[in-house]
């Protein structure tokens, strides 16, 4: 209850000037007393609810962020926008996808895993005009923000802004760093079941490595070592997308780098099984099992292969039986 006995919902209909003369504070005014200014002009106030990675760094200006958030108007119990109903919120690029000035200012003060509340004055939100019909004019907003994770994409953005000639002449360390960042982006997309986006990220990384000409054996080894996990991830992603032929191709490319790689053998076996290439699938699985005889995934896929092959043989026998029965009936007639 408010100081004068009126509920906060009733207070919203009282003129702000009247409230101020009566010494009555609104909910946002009371909340602001326990928050700190992070914009330097009082336009963005912050309250830390739950700290993030204590040893981690702050979200950088060129980051791509993975966040959950809810925005509230004063005197409202329900958010006017929220990502809470999304199981896997999309990743957003600061300065591009994050368009609310206050939200970007707030994110730059956060660490990975952190949960905070922010108050945005109108100039850091929707301004004097608001955004009808949801946001009234000159509205101060409350945002609850959970920064799940972020990736610093500044180096990637700068690299892809270069010409192909400049990219090829860049230090190998810069190329490998960009590739690893792209793989991290792909992993995020994969974990969110955004397989097309993951595929695009992995393929971009593979293309960068394929276009790079190593100057010596050491560079060749570094490129191959970086390419291998990307190829394996790409093969698995293509399996999820129902493209076993492409998955097999990338699995085989991984085997060209490391012929005894168990994951690559397993990916190839999975792809062959989906295409009903039973003998090839068995060959890959037998080689994988020789490396890891007690691996449950390999042994389970061998069992699945046996069942699938038996079902295939039984169906073929049934079809042949029907054909011969039909032929025998025709002959008698």
């Amino acid at each position: 209850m408010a100081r004068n006995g009126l509920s906060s919902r009733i207070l919203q209909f009282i003129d702000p000037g009247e409230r101020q003369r009566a010494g009555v504070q609104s909910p946002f005014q009371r909340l602001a007393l326990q928050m700190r200014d992070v914009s330097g002009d009082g336009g963005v106030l912050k309250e830390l609810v739950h700290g993030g990675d204590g040893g981690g760094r702050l979200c950088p200006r060129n980051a791509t962020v993975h966040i959950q958030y809810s925005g509230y108007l004063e005197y409202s119990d329900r958010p006017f926008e929220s990502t809470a109903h999304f199981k896997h919120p999309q990743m957003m690029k600061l300065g591009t996808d994050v368009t609310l000035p206050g939200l970007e200012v707030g994110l730059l003060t956060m660490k990975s895993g952190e949960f905070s509340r922010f108050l945005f004055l109108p100039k850091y939100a929707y301004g004097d005009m608001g955004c009808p019909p949801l946001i009234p004019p000159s509205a101060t907003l409350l945002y609850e923000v959970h920064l799940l994770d972020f990736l610093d994409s500044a180096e990637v953005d700068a690299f892809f802004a270069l010409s192909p000639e400049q990219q090829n002449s860049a230090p190998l360390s810069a190329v490998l760093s960009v590739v690893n960042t792209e793989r991290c982006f792909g992993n995020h997309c994969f974990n969110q079941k955004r397989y097309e986006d993951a595929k695009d990220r992995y393929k971009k990384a593979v293309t960068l490595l394929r276009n790079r000409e190593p100057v010596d054996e050491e560079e060749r080894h570094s490129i191959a070592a970086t390419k291998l996990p990307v190829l394996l991830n790409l093969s698995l992603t293509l399996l999820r997308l129902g493209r076993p032929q492409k998955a097999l191709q990338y699995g085989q490319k991984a085997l060209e780098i490391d012929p005894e790689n168990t994951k690559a053998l397993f990916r190839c076996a999975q792809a062959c099984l989906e295409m009903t290439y039973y003998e090839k699938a068995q060959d890959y699985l037998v080689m994988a099992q020789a490396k890891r005889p007690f691996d449950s995934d390999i042994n389970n896929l061998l069992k699945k292969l046996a069942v699938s092959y038996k079902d295939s043989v039984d169906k073929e026998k049934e079809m042949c039986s029907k054909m011969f029965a039909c032929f025998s009936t025709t002959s008698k007639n």
Side-chain angles (χ1 to χ4, degrees):
M1 299 295 286
R3 281 172 48 184
N4 61 357
L6 296 178
S7 72
S8 61
R9 287 194 173 275
I10 296 175
L11 280 172
Q12 67 180 302
F13 299 107
I14 300 177
D15 180 77
E18 291 293 332
R19 288 203 304 266
Q20 186 175 1
R21 284 190 290 272
V24 178
Q25 292 180 322
S26 72
F28 280 5
Q29 288 173 330
R30 292 196 298 272
L31 181 61
L33 295 176
Q34 62 194 50
M35 306 177 93
R36 64 185 180 92
D37 178 11
V38 294
S39 60
D41 60 359
V44 179
L45 303 179
K46 174 181 178 179
E47 177 191 17
L48 177 65
V49 179
H50 184 274
D53 182 0
R57 61 191 180 115
L58 295 176
C59 179
R61 189 168 297 278
N62 294 292
T64 297
V65 297
H66 184 201
I67 59 174
Q68 287 185 322
Y69 62 88
S70 297
Y72 296 86
L73 292 167
E74 196 166 22
Y75 303 107
S76 176
D77 296 329
R78 292 185 179 182
F80 61 84
E81 71 166 340
S82 178
T83 62
H85 57 285
F86 294 125
K87 184 177 181 180
H88 300 291
Q90 288 193 351
M91 299 192 74
M92 304 169 70
K93 172 78 174 167
L94 294 185
T96 303
D97 304 315
V98 179
T99 56
L100 202 66
L103 183 55
E104 182 154 353
V105 170
L107 285 166
L108 295 176
T109 71
M110 300 180 71
K111 296 180 180 180
S112 180
E114 180 182 322
F115 179 78
S116 290
R117 292 191 185 97
F118 297 92
L119 280 178
F120 305 147
L121 290 188
K123 69 175 182 177
Y124 284 93
Y126 292 94
D128 296 335
M129 299 295 292
C131 186
L134 290 177
I135 312 299
S138 302
T140 296
L141 304 178
L142 169 67
Y143 266 73
E144 295 182 339
V145 183
H146 187 191
L147 177 56
L148 302 173
D149 201 1
F150 65 80
L151 291 169
D152 189 351
S153 53
E155 186 179 18
V156 173
D157 296 339
F159 186 86
F160 284 115
L162 300 174
S163 66
E165 293 78 15
Q166 290 173 319
Q167 291 181 13
N168 289 332
S169 62
L172 180 61
S173 59
V175 177
L176 297 184
S177 179
V178 169
V179 167
N180 284 326
T181 300
E182 285 295 309
R183 182 164 66 91
C184 288
F185 274 116
N187 293 346
H188 273 278
C189 294
F190 184 91
N191 292 334
Q192 296 173 17
K193 303 188 189 312
R194 293 162 47 204
Y195 299 126
E196 281 290 348
D197 292 336
K199 178 206 70 175
D200 293 340
R201 293 287 186 174
Y202 295 142
K203 288 190 74 172
K204 189 182 292 186
V206 169
T207 300
L208 282 177
L209 293 172
R210 186 175 62 236
N211 293 340
R212 182 75 182 198
E213 286 294 332
V215 297
D216 53 33
E217 191 59 32
E218 184 179 352
E219 281 203 1
R220 187 183 304 278
H221 177 76
S222 296
I223 291 172
T226 305
K227 187 188 294 185
L228 181 59
V230 181
L231 290 171
L232 292 172
N233 290 353
L234 182 53
S235 180
L236 178 59
T237 302
L238 289 163
L239 285 170
R240 293 286 190 271
L241 287 169
R243 302 173 194 173
Q245 185 65 54
K246 284 288 186 182
L248 178 60
Q249 290 177 12
Y250 285 105
Q252 289 171 335
K253 288 180 184 295
L255 288 174
E256 290 174 9
I257 296 173
D258 182 2
E260 297 185 351
N261 187 277
T262 309
K263 283 188 177 180
L265 291 168
F266 186 74
R267 295 282 179 266
C268 290
Q270 287 178 299
C272 288
L273 180 55
E274 287 195 23
M275 293 185 289
T276 67
Y277 298 165
Y278 297 124
E279 290 185 6
K280 283 187 176 181
Q282 184 177 23
D283 290 342
Y284 283 122
L285 284 174
V286 168
M287 286 188 285
Q289 190 184 47
K291 302 294 179 185
R292 294 186 181 178
F294 303 109
D295 188 289
S296 59
D297 290 333
I298 295 172
N299 291 327
N300 288 336
L301 194 62
L302 274 168
K303 293 176 184 177
K304 182 179 179 180
L305 170 63
V307 172
S308 298
Y309 180 71
K310 182 179 182 302
D311 289 344
S312 175
V313 170
D314 290 344
K315 287 179 181 178
E316 188 174 345
K317 286 181 179 178
E318 183 180 358
M319 183 177 66
C320 290
S321 176
K322 289 180 179 179
M323 289 177 61
F324 280 117
C326 180
F327 178 76
S328 176
T329 304
T330 304
S331 299
K332 290 179 180 179
N333 291 336

